[in-house]
Amino acid sequence: MKINTNLFLGTIFLLVMSGCTPPQFSVESMGDKFSDPNGPKGFIGNNNKLSKKSSQGGVHIDNKGVYINPYVTRNKNTEVIGFSVSHMNFEYKDLFNPIQSIIFLNQNQNRVELKCKLLDVDVDLGYYNPISQDLQGTSSELSDCGCSKNDFEILMNSSSLEVKIVGGERSMIYESKDVLPNFISNLKTFYVQHLQ
């Protein structure tokens, strides 16, 4: 039996790469059936990946990176809008430690700055890689960044964005070519469903 080498390698490549694409953006209700029915109601977006560019300037070919997920909570008198920002990388030293602010510039140089507060840091040593002879793991930091409705509208109405993440130990600029094409469209989807 003769095997077409190019077809075989192409199939393997597609299988590997399909496991490396981020999950689709989705919006979920916050809370569960045990939540206080008189408490605030909320919605959060999931899997809104900013870029494939890593915090060290390389390229992620996996699901690691920065996710800027919009959320809203409201009760009778208040509406709180913000972003849950999750950054996953290999080692603790690769994190922003912590994310202090995120600055956006759109195509018209309109500036939106989100102040952030650290919620959690997690380090998982994972497994030992016998080929590279080191520990392979995942480190992550979770931050909360408040946002006004007006600033959210500026972001989601932008045709392009440049982004700077300012951290305590590291900062990174994501040029408009680095920002994934569906990042802004996911913000629009969230706005239409839950902020309009």
Side-chain angles (χ1 to χ4, degrees):
M1 180 168 135
K2 186 176 179 182
I3 297 175
N4 183 332
T5 306
N6 289 338
L7 180 61
F8 177 73
L9 292 176
T11 303
I12 295 298
F13 177 77
L14 286 174
L15 288 172
V16 169
M17 292 309 290
S18 67
C20 297
T21 58
Q24 291 293 318
F25 179 75
S26 64
V27 178
E28 296 178 7
S29 176
M30 296 166 92
D32 58 25
K33 65 182 180 180
F34 299 104
S35 299
D36 180 359
N38 299 318
K41 305 288 186 242
F43 297 91
I44 187 165
N46 292 309
N47 304 315
N48 195 27
K49 190 170 184 175
L50 174 65
S51 176
K52 290 184 178 181
K53 184 176 179 180
S54 82
S55 60
Q56 294 184 301
V59 176
H60 285 296
I61 60 169
D62 52 19
N63 289 339
K64 291 180 172 59
V66 177
Y67 292 79
I68 302 179
N69 295 312
Y71 71 81
V72 61
T73 61
R74 37 174 94 81
N75 61 21
K76 292 180 184 177
N77 303 316
T78 61
E79 178 177 73
V80 177
I81 301 169
F83 292 92
S84 174
V85 181
S86 173
H87 173 225
M88 294 177 286
N89 218 314
F90 290 101
E91 297 183 37
Y92 180 78
K93 67 179 180 59
D94 300 333
L95 300 179
F96 292 101
N97 286 321
I99 295 173
Q100 298 175 339
S101 65
I102 302 175
I103 303 165
F104 297 88
L105 291 176
N106 72 3
Q107 70 283 353
N108 300 321
Q109 298 303 299
N110 293 325
R111 184 178 189 274
V112 171
E113 182 173 2
L114 307 177
K115 296 294 185 182
C116 304
K117 65 179 179 179
L118 180 67
L119 298 178
D120 189 32
V121 175
D122 187 38
V123 178
D124 177 16
L125 293 179
Y127 65 94
Y128 179 75
N129 185 332
I131 296 171
S132 63
Q133 298 183 347
D134 63 354
L135 288 172
Q136 298 289 315
T138 299
S139 295
S140 63
E141 54 193 334
L142 179 65
S143 301
D144 178 62
C145 309
C147 184
S148 70
K149 190 167 188 176
N150 183 55
D151 283 345
F152 194 100
E153 289 171 349
I154 290 171
L155 296 177
M156 69 106 184
N157 285 320
S158 299
S159 59
S160 67
L161 289 171
E162 294 178 78
V163 183
K164 180 176 184 181
I165 297 180
V166 179
E169 294 184 14
R170 137 184 352 266
S171 297
M172 179 54 66
I173 293 174
Y174 300 85
E175 297 178 29
S176 56
K177 65 180 178 57
D178 300 320
V179 176
L180 290 174
N182 60 351
F183 180 78
I184 297 172
S185 64
N186 291 341
L187 297 182
K188 289 179 183 176
T189 297
F190 187 84
Y191 184 89
V192 167
Q193 291 179 4
H194 298 290
L195 293 177
Q196 211 168 30

